Amino acid sequence: YNIQHKAEALLEGLGFSTDDLNRSLNQFSGGWRMRVMLAKMMLQQPDLLLLDEPTNHLDLPSIQWVEKYLQDYRGAVVVVS
């Protein structure tokens, strides 16, 4: 399972389509760019995730995906909501 597959899985979990994965970041709105930054942070798998309203601007399927991701996260998580 290489880094590209992990990144794609994270982005798709956050609501990106397969076609979106080939688009330039500047083609996305601010909300979608925040999803990319969230995926980038998750991809790094830090020992501590500090999340300030991580589900803000997410649709219900993406919120549910983030909740499941955080339940299985092996590091510490601090969420401000």
Side-chain angles (χ1 to χ4, degrees):
Y1 206 58
N2 67 32
I3 191 111
Q4 181 175 345
H5 288 116
K6 288 180 184 178
E8 290 171 357
L10 285 169
L11 290 168
E12 288 174 357
L14 290 169
F16 287 87
S17 70
T18 302
D19 291 337
D20 288 336
L21 301 178
N22 296 317
R23 293 174 52 194
S24 173
L25 185 61
N26 65 6
Q27 294 178 333
F28 292 100
S29 68
W32 285 97
R33 289 180 191 185
M34 290 304 296
R35 291 179 191 220
V36 171
M37 300 314 295
L38 180 58
K40 180 180 177 183
M41 184 174 48
M42 291 173 160
L43 186 61
Q44 295 172 353
Q45 298 180 323
D47 293 330
L48 173 64
L49 277 176
L50 299 173
L51 303 172
D52 184 9
E53 298 187 14
T55 58
N56 210 18
H57 306 294
L58 297 181
D59 56 3
L60 185 57
S62 297
I63 291 171
Q64 292 169 332
W65 183 89
V66 168
E67 288 174 350
K68 173 73 173 117
Y69 179 88
L70 293 177
Q71 287 174 351
D72 297 335
Y73 194 73
R74 293 186 179 186
V77 179
V78 175
V79 178
V80 177
S81 61

